[in-house]
Amino acid sequence: EDKVVQSPLSLVVHEGDTVTLNCSYEVTNFRSLLWYKQEKKAPTFLFMLTSSGIEKKSGRLSSILDKKELFSILNITATQTGDSAVYLCAVEASGATNKLIFGTGTLLAVQP
Amino acid sequence: DTEVTQTPKHLVMGMTNKKSLKCEQHMGHRAMYWYKQKAKKPPELMFVYSYEKLSINESVPSRFSPECPNSSLLNLHLHALQPEDSALYLCASSQPDWGRDYGYTFGSGTRLTVV
């Protein structure tokens, strides 16, 4: 059975801290791994990773994929209160139609 | 237009009611999805339409009936729901082909309460 597991489940940090969120997966027909940020409603897209070892960066956020060890990390540096959200990892499995399989999410709370 | 629009934003319905959720996108995406998200849980895939044809049904009960009238619209018809069906229903779209790098775009969801 396809599985995506995130850790930690929740995390409380102070502004300015650096955090690392983890995502491991066991998915048949892996195609890509995506990171989303979800505050109150819709998940918003952060990164899509398809190749091992290539870091993607957007401002204070960065992510990398290891297809050999089947995991990805999402780093957030100099955290701000606006980073507080649930961070979702999703793996895209290819087939007749591709589909996203979500992990359980990591709830990040950044305190002032 | 880079959005997926869902209506209504909130819906309260009785167990004998029939209602519909609507999703619209004008990005030219040819794959559209319905997800169900319960509180403090990740989204769970319900249906996938690819090129207006139903391609994945994740063993969803028949009281949920999807419809894709054209490439921009996706509906979810609801009938005889149960209180445990209360959840946030998310619509998403994407290009079904290889090579894109922008992931899936999600709508803001419809918060459904079944009473």
Side-chain angles (χ1 to χ4, degrees), chain A residues 31-32 34 36 38 40-45 48-50 56 88 92-93 96-105, chain B residues 9-10 33 35 37 42-43 45 48 50 55-56 58 88 90 96-104 106-108 111:
Chain A
R31 182 168 169 174
S32 64
L34 299 93
Y36 286 87
Q38 187 173 28
K40 289 182 181 175
K41 287 277 183 90
T44 53
F45 174 73
M48 181 185 217
L49 303 156
T50 54
K56 293 216 169 178
L88 292 165
E92 184 181 28
T97 303
N98 302 332
K99 63 180 185 179
L100 280 184
I101 303 156
F102 281 88
T104 45
Chain B
K9 294 194 184 310
H10 300 274
Y33 310 78
Y35 282 86
Q37 187 174 24
L45 182 65
V48 181
S50 181
S55 59
I56 294 179
E58 292 284 311
L88 179 67
L90 292 164
D97 303 319
W98 182 261
R100 75 220 184 287
D101 193 26
Y102 46 83
Y104 294 59
F106 282 83
S108 296
R111 178 77 61 191

Side-chain angles (χ1 to χ4, degrees), chain A residues 27-85:
Chain A
V27 173
T28 307
N29 299 323
F30 172 91
R31 182 168 169 174
S32 64
L33 185 144
L34 299 93
W35 284 97
Y36 286 87
K37 176 182 181 183
Q38 187 173 28
E39 294 174 86
K40 289 182 181 175
K41 287 277 183 90
T44 53
F45 174 73
L46 296 176
F47 298 111
M48 181 185 217
L49 303 156
T50 54
S51 301
S52 270
I54 298 173
E55 186 184 51
K56 293 216 169 178
K57 266 181 91 70
S58 176
R60 296 177 293 103
L61 277 66
S62 63
S63 184
I64 198 161
L65 174 67
D66 186 330
K67 288 168 75 173
K68 183 179 173 188
E69 300 297 329
L70 308 182
F71 78 90
S72 173
I73 60 171
L74 175 68
N75 279 321
I76 309 174
T77 59
T79 51
Q80 302 170 357
T81 54
D83 295 326
S84 297

Side-chain angles (χ1 to χ4, degrees), chain B residues 1-112:
Chain B
D1 187 351
T2 57
E3 287 188 350
V4 173
T5 303
Q6 288 188 245
T7 54
K9 294 194 184 310
H10 300 274
L11 178 63
V12 179
M13 62 185 288
M15 290 189 283
T16 58
N17 291 159
K18 283 186 181 181
K19 296 284 184 185
S20 297
L21 309 185
K22 183 178 169 183
C23 174
E24 194 167 0
Q25 58 87 14
H26 297 285
M27 294 177 280
H29 289 174
R30 301 307 299 274
M32 295 183 77
Y33 310 78
W34 280 115
Y35 282 86
K36 174 182 177 180
Q37 187 174 24
K38 302 280 278 184
K40 300 187 179 180
K41 297 284 187 183
E44 293 178 1
L45 182 65
M46 298 174 74
F47 302 105
V48 181
Y49 273 82
S50 181
Y51 295 97
E52 296 93 67
K53 288 187 175 14
L54 181 65
S55 59
I56 294 179
N57 176 342
E58 292 284 311
S59 303
V60 179
S62 59
R63 57 185 185 269
F64 295 91
S65 174
E67 179 198 17
C68 189
N70 59 58
S71 60
S72 300
L73 275 177
L74 184 67
N75 298 320
L76 185 63
H77 302 299
L78 315 172
H79 174 55
L81 294 195
Q82 304 295 312
E84 59 264 28
D85 296 322
S86 299
L88 179 67
Y89 287 84
L90 292 164
C91 174
S93 70
S94 74
Q95 285 293 30
D97 303 319
W98 182 261
R100 75 220 184 287
D101 193 26
Y102 46 83
Y104 294 59
T105 304
F106 282 83
S108 296
T110 294
R111 178 77 61 191
L112 174 68

